[in-house]
Amino acid sequence: QVQPVEAGGGLVQPGGSLRLSCVASGSWLSITALGWYRQAPGKQRELVADFTSGGITYADSVKGRFTISRDNAKKTVYLQMDNLKPEDTAVYYCNFKAGRLWDSWGQGTQVTVSS
């Protein structure tokens, strides 16, 4: 099991950019999926972007604006967020899955998009 730790959130104006990072210590050998989720106030947690065996998946709301990437050597997952909108405001969580055996979440990092 890994222990993800997110960083990079903050306050940004609409149209701005942020880059989130998630450092996940521990072994990645058993990981079958890794990515980013977010939860806005009063809303359900939703998938933003992730890696699976099938490739990369993006939520329709962020497609073309966000880019997920990873550095296996650094055990880090990134989320580059461009052209941010107020509706992107949420707590962003890094998530790692090892099939159905375990599911590990970071503590979350706040992203606020506001003028």
Side-chain angles (χ1 to χ4, degrees):
Q1 189 171 350
V2 300
Q3 180 58 58
V5 179
E6 303 97 334
L11 176 64
V12 65
Q13 296 184 49
S17 297
L18 285 173
R19 190 187 192 193
L20 306 183
S21 63
C22 173
V23 178
S25 61
S27 177
W28 284 29
L29 292 176
S30 62
I31 293 172
T32 57
L34 67 164
W36 293 90
Y37 291 70
R38 68 185 181 186
Q39 187 166 23
K43 296 184 178 180
Q44 298 289 325
R45 187 174 297 185
E46 64 176 350
L47 173 70
V48 177
D50 71 356
F51 292 97
T52 68
S53 61
I56 300 173
T57 299
Y58 292 98
D60 288 342
S61 60
V62 309
K63 196 171 297 182
R65 300 188 297 118
F66 291 11
T67 304
I68 188 171
S69 61
R70 66 187 183 189
D71 186 329
N72 292 342
K74 296 181 178 180
K75 295 189 175 182
T76 303
V77 181
Y78 303 95
L79 185 68
Q80 178 67 44
M81 305 185 293
D82 297 318
N83 192 23
L84 283 160
K85 303 176 180 180
E87 50 263 44
D88 295 319
T89 296
V91 177
Y92 284 70
Y93 297 91
C94 187
N95 175 250
F96 291 76
K97 295 181 173 66
R100 302 176 70 179
L101 297 178
W102 54 261
D103 191 6
S104 185
W105 296 86
Q107 84 287 351
T109 185
Q110 177 71 49
V111 172
T112 302
V113 185
S114 176
S115 299

